[in-house]
Amino acid sequence: MPHIAIIGAGITGVTTAYELIKQGFSVTVFEKNLYPAMETSFANGGQLSACNAEVWNQKSTIVKGIKWMSQKNAPLLLNPSFNMHKYTWLVAFLNNIKNYEKNTIETVRLALDSRKHMFAIADQEGFDFNLKKKGILHFYHTAKDFEVAKNVNALLNRGGLERYGVTPEEIKAIEPTLTGDYFGGFFTPDDATGDIHKFTRGLATVCEKRGVKFCFGANVLKINPALDRVEILYNQQNPKHQIEQAAETSVFDGVVICGGVNSYHLGDQLGDKINIYPVKGYSITVNLKDERSVKNAPWVSLLDESAKIVTSRLGVDRFRVAGTAEFNGYNKDIRNDRIQPLIDWVNKNFDIATDSVVSWAGLRPMMPDMMPRVQRSKQARVFYNTGHGHLGFTLSAATAVMISHEIQRALVA
C-alpha cells in the first residue's frame, strides 16, 4: 500500500492518520511541535456541537463587527489595520452570504456524521478524553435574540438535527447550577463534550501502536510533488540541544496537508488557493478545587448567544469556558482584556470560585465560506483536510473518513 505523509498532528492530522492506517496505508506524520495537539487543538471549548453548525456569513455579523471595533472586550474584534490577506478574506466572506442556508445545512449533516464516527472511535479504542453525552443547551437573554434563533433552529432541523425550544423553567431543570435569568433556549440532547487535547493525544497513541510514525519537531520547508512521488524537505530540531539538524528529504506516495492556519502558506507554495485566515479564540480552564465549586459547576454544555461563550465540563475538577473571535493576524498573545470577560461571565452565571484559572489562546483556521477544505490539490498526489475553523473537534472525524476515501480512489483504485 502507498506511504502517505501528513503535515500537522492536530485533531485533523491525527484523525486522518487513524483512518489511513485502518485502510492499510503506511503513514508518517510531520509536526513542528514536540507533541501532538499543542496549538489550536490544545484547549478549545470542548464541544462536539452539531448545534453550533450555523455559518457566520450574514450581514449582521459584519455590522456587529464594525460596532464592536472600539470595544476591547467585545465577542468579535476586528483589527482595522490594513492587511491584504485579511481584507480579501473579508470580501470573500461577504460574497458567501448568498450561501448561508446551503452551507449551514451541509455543515449540520457533516457534524452529525462526524458525531457518529467520534462516538465509534471512543467505543472502539477506549481511551479517556472526558467524553460526556449530556447535550448542549443554548440560551438567550432577550425576546429579540430568541426570535432570531427560531429561524436558525428551523434551518438546523432541516439539516437533520434534533434540537428543540425550552422555557426558562426548563433551562433551570436541564442545568440547575445556572444562577442568571434567561428568556428561553434550545436544547440539543445528542451533542456532547470532551477534551480535544486528551482525545488527540490518546488517538495519536493508538495510531503509533498501529504503525503510524510521528516525526516531531519537524518544520516542513518545501513540498515537491511529481507524477510518481512527493518529496518533502524538512528540518528537524534536536529536542535535547534545541538545534536544527541539516535539512532532510523524504519521499512519499502522497501527502495530506492538515496544517491549520499554516495550510494557507503551504497551499500558496503549491499554487493552491486555500484561503484560510487565522481567527483567534480564547479559553479559560477553571480548576474546581473546593467542594462548592465541584458541586456548582455545570455538567451540561452551554452556549450563551449574547456573549458568544461556550462551556464544557472536563471531568470532576475542570470547567472549560471559551469564546471570542479576533481578526488580528497570526498573533497568539494572550490578552487580559479578552480573558477577563470569560472570568466575569463565570462569576455572573455560577456560584464557583475563579481563583485558579488557566488562560489560553489559539488560532482557528477559518475559510471565508466557513466550510472545511477536503479535496485534492492541483498538484499530483497532494491532498487537503484543513480549514475547519471553530468546528475542528466537531467535524474532523468525518472529514478524515472523506479524505481517506479520496486518497484510496486516487492512489489505489
Side-chain angles (χ1 to χ4, degrees):
M1 286 288 280
H3 190 179
I4 306 298
I6 296 172
I7 298 177
I11 184 73
T12 55
V14 173
T15 50
T16 299
Y18 178 73
E19 292 300 330
L20 288 173
I21 202 74
K22 283 202 307 180
Q23 291 190 28
F25 290 91
S26 296
V27 181
T28 297
V29 180
F30 291 90
E31 168 56 49
K32 66 180 180 180
N33 293 293
L34 298 179
Y35 308 95
M38 294 304 293
E39 296 199 6
T40 307
S41 298
F42 188 79
N44 77 345
Q47 290 187 329
L48 295 165
S49 52
C51 66
N52 203 17
E54 180 194 14
V55 299
W56 299 357
N57 302 88
Q58 295 193 79
K59 291 179 182 177
S60 59
T61 306
I62 297 295
V63 171
K64 288 176 182 177
I66 294 171
K67 182 182 73 174
W68 285 334
M69 274 197 291
S70 61
Q71 302 175 28
K72 290 185 177 181
N73 62 351
L76 190 154
L77 190 63
L78 173 65
N79 185 336
S81 63
F82 182 76
N83 173 275
M84 182 62 75
H85 181 200
K86 177 169 60 183
Y87 280 97
T88 55
W89 187 97
L90 288 170
V91 169
F93 178 91
L94 289 171
N95 287 337
N96 274 284
I97 289 174
K98 62 182 180 292
N99 299 319
Y100 163 77
E101 288 197 6
K102 175 177 70 73
N103 286 347
T104 294
I105 290 172
E106 184 178 341
T107 304
V108 173
R109 291 171 177 164
L110 185 61
L112 292 173
D113 185 47
S114 188
R115 191 170 70 186
K116 178 184 67 177
H117 288 296
M118 184 69 76
F119 290 169
I121 291 171
D123 290 341
Q124 291 166 14
E125 305 301 343
F127 58 87
D128 175 50
F129 61 101
N130 301 124
L131 176 65
K132 285 296 175 186
K133 300 178 182 179
K134 289 184 174 290
I136 295 179
L137 175 63
H138 198 151
F139 60 79
Y140 305 83
H141 296 270
T142 68
K144 180 181 177 182
D145 284 344
F146 188 70
E147 284 302 312
V148 172
K150 287 181 180 179
N151 295 327
V152 176
N153 190 65
L155 193 59
L156 298 176
N157 291 158
R158 281 171 56 193
L161 182 66
E162 181 190 353
R163 184 174 184 259
Y164 53 83
V166 290
T167 65
E169 294 75 23
E170 289 170 325
I171 287 174
K172 293 294 181 71
I174 291 168
E175 185 43 71
T177 64
L178 283 163
T179 60
D181 294 320
Y182 314 102
F183 181 85
F186 288 93
F187 186 54
T188 311
D190 295 328
D191 272 349
T193 54
D195 186 327
I196 187 174
H197 183 71
K198 290 177 71 173
F199 175 83
T200 307
R201 294 288 293 267
L203 191 61
T205 299
V206 170
C207 288
E208 280 190 301
K209 290 177 179 177
R210 292 190 177 214
V212 173
K213 179 185 176 185
F214 284 86
C215 188
F216 292 114
N219 183 33
V220 173
L221 304 174
K222 194 170 184 183
I223 300 170
N224 293 313
L227 288 177
D228 61 342
R229 67 181 187 270
V230 176
E231 295 180 353
I232 295 181
L233 179 69
Y234 64 99
N235 272 334
Q236 189 168 17
Q237 70 178 26
N238 184 323
K240 291 185 178 180
H241 304 292
Q242 295 296 305
I243 59 172
E244 287 187 344
Q245 299 173 349
E248 299 180 48
T249 299
S250 292
V251 178
F252 300 91
D253 297 296
V255 60
V256 190
I257 296 174
C258 304
V261 296
N262 296 315
S263 301
Y264 169 78
H265 303 290
L266 291 169
D268 188 57
Q269 178 193 112
L270 292 163
D272 295 318
K273 188 173 179 60
I274 307 298
N275 192 16
I276 287 171
Y277 188 80
V279 179
K280 191 196 293 188
Y282 291 83
S283 78
I284 59 172
T285 303
V286 182
N287 293 313
L288 307 173
K289 301 172 72 174
D290 59 86
E291 187 176 340
R292 174 176 64 90
S293 296
V294 169
K295 178 182 177 182
N296 293 332
W299 283 99
V300 173
S301 181
L302 305 169
L303 202 162
D304 182 344
E305 173 60 29
S306 62
K308 305 295 184 185
I309 283 175
V310 305
T311 77
S312 56
R313 183 74 176 265
L314 304 178
V316 173
D317 58 356
R318 291 185 301 149
F319 179 44
R320 177 71 49 77
V321 179
T324 77
E326 186 176 306
F327 290 76
N328 196 22
Y330 292 85
N331 182 298
K332 291 190 285 187
D333 292 348
I334 300 175
R335 294 171 45 177
N336 184 63
D337 59 352
R338 307 295 278 159
I339 292 295
Q340 191 59 47
L342 300 178
I343 298 172
D344 292 343
W345 184 89
V346 174
N347 290 326
K348 177 182 177 182
N349 289 280
F350 304 97
D351 180 23
I352 66 176
T354 53
D355 58 334
S356 178
V357 169
V358 179
S359 305
W360 174 82
L363 302 177
R364 307 178 184 102
M366 202 78 78
M367 294 294 299
D369 60 358
M370 310 292 292
M371 304 296 290
R373 290 300 179 265
V374 189
Q375 64 189 50
R376 295 191 201 186
S377 164
K378 295 176 183 175
Q379 304 291 340
R381 299 176 178 270
V382 178
F383 305 83
Y384 293 94
N385 182 18
T386 190
H388 296 62
H390 65 302
L391 294 176
F393 199 19
T394 298
L395 301 180
S396 60
T399 62
V401 173
M402 292 165 60
I403 200 64
S404 68
H405 289 167
E406 184 67 25
I407 293 167
Q408 184 87 23
R409 286 191 293 268
L411 301 184
V412 179

